[in-house]
């Protein structure tokens, strides 16, 4: 049985009638940017996330960048980021002229280690950006306590965590402000690029609104140097439909994750995701670890199971950051994880049969990839 890593056509097929109706409603309205669909989506996503404000922007990267700008983070500032994340987290920091200061993750959870955060705080620290990696919330109480002690804003990178909970509270409402990506592969995904900022701080929301639209509140009156980063009406219409199904789709992801966790408990040499008691993850990805990851991935490919690596190169080893002078071994946990992580197929349209086929294939592959003792 072949199991692809992801096929987004299933999501469209399931919701086709609703999505097509939304598309036609917007198409016929004659209003395509900054209109009623976006206003409604912003209100609905704010309510979903349990926050006062939500501002739609053009991408997850822009959500991060504009949030940092709204906090006046800029040249000369340092921003604490995880050493293991998608590179956008770091690029947003560079985009505002600040310097990323990487902190290693807790190896069990893969999210940023609060003790490392405290050690990295210095006189130039302007913000902390934890990432809810793979859909699992970072340890936000510990980070929040540090932020209060050092009077620093915290910006959640919630690009992978729509609907996740930390001690019962939703991601997006756990800090000063949060940035979500709504690109097609995320748990809540549009037909293209989109993102939102959520916050309880009216001033931050107002600033992001200003920045996303050329620094303008009133037409042709430009208060600051902004940009063009607007979540358009067609995407907002799609997202409103998909938001209504998000909890159910996340529940399906949770069920597949449970199948994997139960079925793979005995698989040789495999380290399964660890979920701390305070976390209710939404399984954007189901990431296992294995010392012979590449061989394991090859075996699975031969068995017809699609897998991906999130991420094969930690940001500090990427050519994009070559000029910063980080050497191999600078962030050993991130480097080790990059060599061992493997994402199994997990999405709302993975059938029970497929999940069990993946379990059997992974068990067989792990058996074939036993690390010799000693
Ligand atoms: C997807 C993602 C982003 C960037 O979102 P885009 O919408 O693709 O710009 C940022 N951070 C993380 C952790 C992501 O997974």
């Amino acid at each position: 049985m072949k199991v692809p890593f992801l096929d987004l056509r299933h999501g469209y097929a399931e919701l086709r009638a609703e999505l097509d109706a939304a598309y036609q409603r917007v198409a016929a309205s004659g209003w395509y940017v900054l209109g009623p669909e976006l206003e409604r989506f912003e209100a609905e996503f704010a309510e979903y996330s349990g926050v006062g404000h939500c501002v739609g922007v053009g991408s997850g990267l822009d959500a991060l960048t504009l949030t940092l700008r709204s906090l006046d983070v800029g040249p000369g500032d340092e921003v604490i980021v995880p050493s293991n994340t998608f590179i956008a987290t770091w690029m947003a920091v560079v985009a505002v002229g600040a310097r990323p200061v990487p902190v290693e993750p807790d190896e069990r959870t893969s999210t940023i280690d609060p003790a490392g955060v405290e050690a990295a705080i210095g006189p130039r620290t302007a913000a902390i950006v934890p990432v809810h990696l793979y859909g699992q919330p970072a340890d936000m109480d510990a980070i929040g306590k540090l932020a209060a002690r050092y009077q620093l804003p915290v910006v959640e990178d919630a690009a992978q965590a729509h609907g996740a909970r930390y001690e019962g509270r939703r991601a997006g409402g756990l800090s000063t402000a949060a940035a979500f990506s709504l690109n097609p592969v995320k748990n809540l995904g549009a037909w293209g690029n989109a993102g939102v900022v959520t916050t309880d701080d009216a001033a931050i929301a107002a600033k992001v609104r200003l920045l996303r639209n050329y620094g303008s509140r009133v037409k042709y009156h430009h208060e600051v140097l902004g940009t063009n980063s607007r979540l358009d009406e067609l995407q907002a219409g799609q997202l409103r439909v998909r938001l209504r199904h998000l909890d159910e789709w996340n529940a399906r992801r949770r069920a597949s994750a449970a199948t994997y966790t139960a079925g793979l408990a005995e698989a040789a040499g495999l380290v399964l995701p660890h979920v701390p008691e305070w976390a209710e993850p939404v399984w954007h990805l189901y990431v296992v670890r294995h010392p012979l990851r590449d061989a394991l991935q090859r075996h699975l490919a031969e068995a017809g199971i699609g897998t991906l690596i999130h991420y094969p190169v930690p940001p500090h080893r990427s050519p994009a950051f070559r000029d910063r002078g980080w050497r191999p071994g600078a962030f050993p946990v991130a480097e080790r994880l990059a060599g061992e992580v493997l994402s199994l197929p997990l999405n709302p349209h993975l059938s029970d049969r497929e999940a069990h086929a993946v379990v059997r294939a992974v068990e067989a592959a792990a058996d074939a990839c036993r690390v010799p003792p000693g």
Side-chain angles (χ1 to χ4, degrees):
M1 181 176 206
K2 277 201 192 315
V3 183
F5 185 76
L6 180 65
D7 182 345
L8 291 173
R9 287 175 296 189
H10 297 303
Y12 175 57
E14 181 182 335
L15 304 181
R16 183 169 196 158
E18 286 175 79
L19 291 171
D20 286 359
Y23 179 89
Q24 280 165 20
R25 181 178 69 237
V26 177
S29 76
W31 194 341
Y32 306 123
V33 177
L34 296 184
E37 292 290 332
L38 177 59
E39 278 175 24
R40 287 185 196 126
F41 174 64
E42 288 176 339
E44 288 159 6
F45 195 74
E47 194 192 335
Y48 179 85
S49 305
V51 295
H53 310 273
C54 168
V55 185
V57 296
S59 71
L61 176 64
D62 283 359
L64 283 165
T65 305
L66 298 183
T67 303
L68 291 172
R69 275 194 69 187
S70 77
L71 294 165
D72 290 322
V73 177
D77 289 335
E78 293 179 352
V79 176
I80 293 174
V81 294
S83 58
N84 65 323
T85 179
F86 178 55
I87 203 162
T89 317
W90 290 40
M91 286 197 178
V93 174
V94 174
V96 301
R99 205 164 65 82
V101 174
V103 166
E104 295 265 58
D106 173 333
E107 226 178 304
R108 293 216 314 155
T109 60
S110 297
T111 55
I112 199 165
D113 178 9
V117 172
E118 178 155 33
I121 292 174
R124 290 176 182 278
T125 308
I128 306 168
V129 183
V131 179
H132 304 318
L133 197 68
Y134 309 147
Q136 166 148 290
D139 189 354
M140 295 304 289
D141 273 356
I143 294 164
K145 284 197 186 105
L146 289 174
R149 184 166 342 130
Y150 293 93
Q151 300 201 330
L152 292 169
V154 177
V155 176
E156 296 160 70
D157 181 338
Q160 304 187 356
H162 320 71
R165 292 179 195 268
Y166 177 91
E167 288 178 352
R169 288 170 297 138
R170 289 241 199 246
L174 303 170
S175 63
T176 315
F180 288 86
S181 166
L182 304 169
N183 86 25
V185 303
K186 308 295 182 176
N187 289 39
L188 177 64
W191 271 343
N193 287 307
V196 290
V197 175
T198 57
T199 181
D200 274 322
D201 186 324
I204 292 174
K207 188 82 187 284
V208 174
R209 262 179 218 290
L210 199 61
L211 291 171
R212 76 172 173 186
N213 190 31
Y214 295 111
S216 161
R217 235 181 298 244
V218 177
K219 212 167 191 182
Y220 306 129
H221 180 76
H222 304 278
E223 301 169 39
V224 294
L225 292 174
T227 185
N228 176 357
S229 184
R230 304 175 297 208
L231 201 175
D232 69 63
E233 292 288 285
L234 278 175
Q235 302 296 0
Q238 298 299 302
L239 289 162
R240 292 182 65 207
V241 171
R242 289 176 187 269
L243 180 57
R244 294 200 286 273
H245 297 272
L246 177 59
D247 282 341
E248 194 208 325
W249 285 20
N250 280 342
R252 293 186 205 166
R253 289 176 184 268
R254 202 166 292 130
S256 296
T259 300
Y260 286 167
T261 298
L264 295 172
E266 306 296 324
L270 210 64
V271 178
L272 301 182
H274 168 73
V275 180
E277 70 284 356
W278 35 259
E280 192 185 295
V282 286
W283 302 103
H284 175 61
L285 296 166
Y286 190 95
V287 178
V288 300
R289 288 170 56 193
H290 192 279
L292 302 178
R293 187 268 317 279
D294 292 343
L296 191 78
Q297 185 176 37
R298 271 196 305 277
H299 274 88
L300 288 170
E302 281 160 21
I305 309 297
T307 59
L308 289 176
I309 297 168
H310 298 91
Y311 299 90
V313 181
H316 72 281
R317 297 297 301 144
S318 158
F321 285 98
R322 188 167 26 213
D323 62 343
R324 309 280 163 136
W326 281 301
R327 303 198 167 281
F331 299 101
V333 180
E335 288 169 38
R336 189 162 59 249
L337 290 175
E340 296 185 352
V341 293
L342 187 68
S343 306
L344 304 182
L346 192 149
N347 60 73
H349 298 89
L350 187 80
S351 70
D352 215 36
R353 271 185 69 224
E354 288 176 314
H356 283 100
V358 172
V359 166
R360 284 192 301 275
V362 173
E363 278 189 318
D367 249 342
C369 298
R370 279 180 192 273
V371 184

